[in-house]
Amino acid sequence: MKALQEKILREGRLIGTEIVKVDSFLNHRIDTRFADEMGEEIARLFAAERPNKILTVEASGIAIACSAARAFGYLPVVFAKKSRPSTMVDGSYAAEARSFTKGTVSVLVVAKDFLSPSDRVLIVDDFLATGEAGLAMCSLAEQAGATVCGFCAAISKNYQGGAARIAQKGIRVESLADIARIENGQIIFTE
Amino acid sequence: MKALQEKILREGRLIGTEIVKVDSFLNHRIDTRFADEMGEEIARLFAAERPNKILTVEASGIAIACSAARAFGYLPVVFAKKSRPSTMVDGSYAAEARSFTKGTVSVLVVAKDFLSPSDRVLIVDDFLATGEAGLAMCSLAEQAGATVCGFCAAISKNYQGGAARIAQKGIRVESLADIARIENGQIIFTE
């Protein structure tokens, strides 16, 4: 998605040599009009997969997941939580995800009520790098017996292996902008 | 908002005598069509205040804040974080919020870049009870010199004092459904 590449180049900031910070429009401040444009692109890419539910993880995935859900004609969104709330009393699916930048392991949790074997789940997230969170979400859907009909990240760094790990499960993986490498402080996209 | 009252009665579940769980459409699974309807109602209620930014807090506030932002003609949304990310390197505003249900204190953080003295901020959240998170968000906006032109919760329990605490600061406070009391397992709304 050319507009996303341009926005990353214009507004993104490099932290060190690996982290691209896009909190001016995606992770902290949300450009809601642009989120809807990304949602429309996601719906276009995955229209043929006919998802009936969008799965994401709190917090930065929620806005773009809701935009995609709207573009599909208002699908429900389920967001996995990073800890089990005290009110989640009726059973849940859980899967671990390591964070390489933070050096922590978090457990993603979804209440059993909100994923079922009849679901065709499209997983949407803001970032895809090593694929830890993505694989954890795949696991949550699989535990429920749901079909994962696709995975879409706004921004990916496929060279970090996450896209391949998810694709290995037979899941179609797309991103709206794939960073091929960061070179001398420049972001180079996959064309 | 009658439709929200009806939805709470139909889908909400009481946990103990005080907690109304609405995770089937607001806190975990998001009914995206209904979120947009709530967003339109928020925009109607606060049109005269002419906000130029919506402030909320991760994670459950994000969907409804984005829906409200869209209904206002695509305002930007800023969501406060519940911990300071390692990538937030350029200064931030912070304010403490106690959680009475969890017995914890979290620190809400917003990067200084995303709130400014020229902002007219509408604060939107999913719940308003004791007002701890709401007051923390007011503090973040005040630290930036921004004007808080209103506060809107989807669901409030004004009897727990939060609405009065925020209104005391001269801020207009509304909610789309106010729970007056919970009596013998029944939710009674303020009319």
Side-chain angles (χ1 to χ4, degrees), chain A residues 113-132:
Chain A
D113 288 348
F114 301 133
L115 285 173
S116 79
S118 61
D119 281 333
R120 291 182 59 78
V121 174
L122 174 63
I123 300 173
V124 170
D125 208 357
D126 55 341
F127 267 102
L128 171 59
T130 61
E132 284 283 315

Side-chain angles (χ1 to χ4, degrees), chain A residues 30 32 36 70 74 77 81, chain B residues 27 30 36 70 74-75 77:
Chain A
I30 300 162
T32 52
D36 273 5
R70 186 176 297 106
Y74 288 113
V77 167
K81 308 213 170 195
Chain B
N27 296 131
I30 300 162
D36 273 5
R70 186 175 297 105
Y74 287 115
L75 297 182
V77 167

